[in-house]
């Protein structure tokens, strides 16, 4: 997050699903920004031989199933999204931009889930990942100021260098919007935090935890109350350069099983902490590996084991599970970045654990 003096982002939302466009309209990135709950990026340089770039918008509307092109077939949700098709010289690729806000983005590049991935620095601490997407296409993914940007090759061949250069040449369509989006708590941006919409069970990291069910049962704490709520729970409000901006509890009525905390950095990096009473939620110890290629190991934390998974030791994305001596389970996920490699991430784990133990008598999920 950035200074509270920066105004939070407000975007245009349709009144009902019936107001959605039958076909996503063509619109330039600058004009599309007002209809999106994320930073819209534009390519400042196209791959050699490509001379056409056409962008279309999916506008946000309340939940409701409608017969329109480009909407999700597995949910009644209608979040915003921006799609760019770049072509020329017999080659074609597309970019998809959106806020991945129904779970933590799996390994920080969910469209490449299950494939071997390779990281590349693209400037300002960001990392682009190249691999194969769920359709079998050559693909790439990056998170930029919270926006998930996914690339898929639709026709012809593009080299690693061309794809990485395209990611590195992305620029915010409306530069002043970046600070406003980063100043807005995740809870207030997230479609699924604002609407009771159908969800899809998806992987979230190196270790198996697919969440959640069809219905988003989280109870989000009002943004202005997050600091006081976490302090009462004995959960740290900050860690390293990250600060908590959102929190949610998950359970059944009065029986709270899990607590999620979203920590954000000034550049849009993210940590996601999950806590539960030991055995009382969906974290299972020891954790089982999920299918995404990654390294995993057990490290020591003040005499306790930390199960650590990491896609790349230099850049993350990392996934850590451990247990607190006072009887609750913890999991920390991290986005990828040049400053979020394995050792830096373990430092954040140790800092959060020390803060939890220092809180003493405060009862997490009490």
């Amino acid at each position: 997050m950035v200074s509270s003096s920066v105004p939070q982002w407000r975007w245009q939302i349709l009144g009902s699903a019936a107001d959605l466009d039958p076909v996503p309209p063509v619109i330039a990135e600058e004009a599309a920004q007002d209809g999106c709950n994320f930073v819209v990026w534009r390519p400042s340089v196209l791959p050699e031989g490509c001379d056409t770039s056409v962008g279309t918008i999916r506008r946000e509307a309340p939940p409701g199933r409608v017969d329109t092109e480009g909407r999700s077939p597995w949910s009644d949700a209608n979040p915003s999204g921006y799609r760019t098709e770049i072509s020329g010289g017999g080659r074609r690729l597309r970019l998809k931009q959106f806020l991945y806000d129904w779970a933590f983005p799996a390994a920080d590049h969910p469209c490449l889930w299950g494939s071997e991935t390779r990281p590349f620095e693209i400037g300002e601490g960001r990392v682009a990942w190249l691999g194969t997407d769920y359709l079998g296409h050559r693909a790439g993914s990056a998170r930029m100021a919270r926006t998930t940007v996914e690339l898929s090759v639709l026709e012809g061949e593009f080299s690693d260098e061309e794809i990485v250069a395209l990611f590195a040449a992305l620029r915010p369509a409306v530069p002043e919007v970046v600070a406003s989006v980063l100043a807005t708590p995740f809870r207030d941006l997230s479609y699924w935090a604002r609407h009771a919409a159908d969800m899809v069970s998806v992987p979230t990291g190196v270790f198996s935890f697919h969440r959640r069910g069809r219905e988003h049962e989280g109870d989000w704490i009002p943004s202005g109350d997050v600091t006081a709520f976490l302090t009462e729970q004995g959960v740290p409000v900050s860690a390293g350069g990250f600060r908590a901006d959102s929190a949610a509890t998950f359970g059944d009525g009065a029986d709270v099983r899990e607590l999620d905390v979203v920590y954000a950095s000034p550049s849009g990096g993210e940590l996601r902490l999950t806590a539960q009473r030991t055995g009382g939620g969906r974290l299972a110890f020891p954790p089982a590996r999920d299918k995404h290629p990654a390294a995993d190991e057990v490290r020591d934390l003040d005499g306790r084991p930390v199960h650590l998974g990491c896609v790349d030791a230099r850049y993350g994305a990392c996934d850590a599970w451990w247990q607190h001596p006072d009887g609750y389970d913890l999991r920390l996920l991290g986005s990828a970045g040049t400053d979020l490699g394995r050792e830096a991430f373990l430092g954040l784990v140790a800092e959060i654990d020390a803060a939890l133990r220092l809180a003493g008598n405060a009862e997490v999920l009490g």
Side-chain angles (χ1 to χ4, degrees):
M1 294 192 305
V2 295
S3 168
S4 59
S5 63
V6 176
Q8 294 187 11
W9 178 236
R10 298 289 182 265
W11 62 99
Q12 298 171 358
I13 302 172
L14 298 176
S16 72
D19 297 328
L20 287 164
D21 303 291
V23 176
V26 174
I27 185 172
E29 290 90 348
E30 293 84 352
Q33 180 63 79
D34 282 342
C36 296
N37 63 333
F38 54 89
V39 175
V40 176
W41 297 81
R42 63 171 182 82
S44 62
V45 178
L46 299 182
E48 184 176 357
C50 292
D51 54 11
T52 302
S53 177
V54 178
T56 57
I57 188 173
R58 296 183 307 169
R59 307 182 198 277
E60 179 179 323
R65 292 189 180 275
V66 290
D67 185 17
T68 61
E69 185 177 310
R71 309 311 293 187
S72 169
W74 52 78
S75 172
D76 63 351
N78 295 301
S80 59
Y82 190 77
R83 184 183 191 276
T84 307
E85 192 162 301
I86 296 170
S87 61
R91 302 191 299 168
R92 184 165 59 99
L93 60 77
R94 66 108 175 102
L95 298 174
K96 284 172 56 178
Q97 303 183 48
F98 56 97
L99 179 68
Y100 194 108
D101 55 350
W102 57 96
F104 189 89
D108 213 46
H109 44 269
C111 69
L112 307 178
W113 181 253
S115 80
E116 293 284 349
T117 55
R118 292 165 289 123
F120 296 85
E121 294 186 25
I122 55 173
E124 299 189 26
R126 300 177 184 127
V127 175
W129 298 86
L130 303 191
T132 304
D133 66 18
Y134 53 92
L135 295 175
H137 296 160
R138 179 168 168 73
S141 180
R143 278 217 284 171
M144 307 173 64
R146 282 180 161 168
T147 302
T148 293
V149 183
E150 297 179 345
L151 178 151
S152 184
V153 175
L154 305 179
E155 185 179 356
E157 299 291 335
F158 290 85
S159 68
D160 286 359
E161 292 75 16
E162 287 180 302
I163 293 174
V164 172
L166 180 57
F167 274 112
L170 292 174
R171 300 289 181 267
V174 184
E176 59 269 26
V177 168
V178 177
S180 289
V181 169
L182 294 177
T184 307
F186 176 86
R187 174 196 184 277
D188 299 330
L189 292 171
S190 170
Y191 186 91
W192 277 265
R194 293 180 285 113
H195 295 287
D198 288 347
M199 300 194 70
V200 179
S201 180
V202 292
T204 55
V206 172
F207 297 111
S208 183
F209 184 65
H210 290 225
R211 72 142 136 213
R212 303 211 182 239
R214 293 295 300 178
E215 184 179 348
H216 194 316
E217 73 276 34
D219 182 13
W220 288 85
I221 308 302
S223 297
D225 298 340
V226 168
T227 296
F229 171 78
L230 293 179
T231 301
E232 181 182 357
Q233 294 284 319
V235 176
V237 175
S238 62
F242 294 81
R243 185 170 180 83
D245 76 9
S246 302
T249 57
F250 294 82
D252 181 12
D255 181 19
V256 176
R257 296 194 305 271
E258 298 160 19
L259 166 66
D260 267 14
V261 185
V262 179
Y263 296 88
S265 75
S267 62
E270 185 181 339
L271 301 175
R272 190 76 63 94
L273 177 69
T274 299
Q276 68 177 34
R277 295 189 192 95
T278 296
R282 284 171 279 192
L283 297 180
F285 281 82
R289 281 279 282 112
D290 217 323
K291 70 176 184 177
H292 193 68
D296 65 276
E297 59 184 315
V298 178
R299 299 285 288 263
D300 179 79
L301 178 65
D302 193 34
R304 289 164 287 138
V306 176
H307 297 264
L308 175 69
C310 193
V311 181
D312 185 90
R314 297 163 297 170
Y315 305 123
C318 296
D319 184 356
W321 298 49
W322 75 104
Q323 294 184 302
H324 191 280
D326 287 347
Y328 49 92
D329 308 326
L330 297 153
R331 182 197 195 187
L332 187 69
L333 287 159
S335 56
T338 58
D339 59 349
L340 266 178
R342 179 181 59 201
E343 298 307 318
F345 182 79
L346 279 170
L348 291 166
V349 170
E351 182 179 346
I352 290 171
D353 182 76
L356 287 165
R357 287 187 288 115
L358 186 63
N361 294 329
E363 184 182 355
V364 173
L365 298 179

